Amino acid sequence: MRRITGNVAEPPSGSPARRLLRSFTGRLFRGRVAAALVALFVPVIVLANVGLPFSAAGIKEVSGGVGILDLEPAATAEGVGRALAAYGQEGRERYLVLLASLDVLLPLLLALTCAALLGVTLGRVRALRWTPLTPLVGLAADYAENGVLAVLLTGYPSVPAGPAGLLSTLTAVKTTAIAVELALVGAGLLYAALTRPARRRAGAVP
């Protein structure tokens, strides 16, 4: 976008990366987009945990109460092996369906929802315009975790120590990253609520 000064069109200021970030936060993610993503995210997360044979609850049902490794990580290769054995053939097949369907959609929706909410809250603060990019860390770790899980599920009964050990690390990174982005979203919503009266008085909010 060019800035017009008199009759002269000036190029936008800042580096290309900064202009891209401004476009990301200022145009793509607006209030209505954030609301739509939240409305879509809620039923998907419900489906991922209950109501479907390949949901977390469905897998736990056929495994004798052993939860999925996404939510109940095992710290050792032996622990991962025990969980994979407890799932049985049916449970492992259900888990693979979960990874190929809801576990593709859910992390993406979470990242987009958090990015959208940050884009319309903290992302509007000049010094915090980077915050809508933080969900990418959790998304990358989640997808990497899913990839390792798929390798372990399809390779069973072999449970290599390398992938099994990497799984617990990726789960820890994913969990920490998601906790940080959710904390930022909470801070952003609080900031928006506290500053809204001032922006309304200034005519910034219709």
Side-chain angles (χ1 to χ4, degrees):
M1 181 182 293
R2 291 181 175 270
R3 181 163 54 91
I4 306 299
T5 304
N7 295 323
V8 180
E10 298 181 358
S13 60
S15 66
R18 183 172 295 181
R19 293 198 297 270
L20 179 62
L21 183 57
R22 282 202 297 266
S23 176
F24 181 78
T25 59
R27 294 181 181 180
L28 181 59
F29 293 128
R30 299 185 184 278
R32 283 178 292 182
V33 175
L37 285 168
V38 171
L40 182 60
F41 176 71
V42 172
V44 170
I45 196 171
V46 171
L47 287 175
N49 288 279
V50 297
L52 293 173
F54 55 89
S55 67
I59 295 169
K60 199 168 187 177
E61 181 181 313
V62 299
S63 68
V66 177
I68 61 174
L69 290 167
D70 306 53
L71 301 178
E72 299 179 21
T76 65
E78 291 75 14
V80 172
R82 285 193 295 270
L84 294 175
Y87 298 147
Q89 184 65 28
E90 182 181 0
R92 290 191 295 273
E93 290 175 354
R94 290 187 182 191
Y95 207 154
L96 285 169
V97 174
L98 174 63
L99 292 176
S101 55
L102 292 175
D103 257 8
V104 172
L105 182 60
L106 187 57
L108 180 61
L109 279 175
L110 175 62
L112 288 176
T113 301
C114 289
L117 292 172
L118 288 169
V120 297
T121 55
L122 296 183
R124 290 179 173 176
V125 181
R126 184 181 298 273
L128 298 175
R129 282 178 176 164
W130 53 269
T131 53
L133 298 178
T134 56
L136 293 177
V137 178
L139 178 63
D142 207 328
Y143 279 169
E145 178 194 53
N146 289 351
V148 173
L149 280 168
V151 168
L152 292 169
L153 286 163
T154 55
Y156 184 83
S158 173
V159 184
L166 180 60
L167 180 62
S168 61
T169 300
L170 289 171
T171 301
V173 172
K174 176 196 75 173
T175 303
T176 301
I178 291 176
V180 169
E181 68 191 60
L182 291 177
L184 287 172
V185 167
L189 293 174
L190 179 61
Y191 168 81
L194 293 175
T195 59
R196 185 178 178 86
R199 288 185 289 115
R200 185 185 295 276
R201 288 193 298 270
V205 178

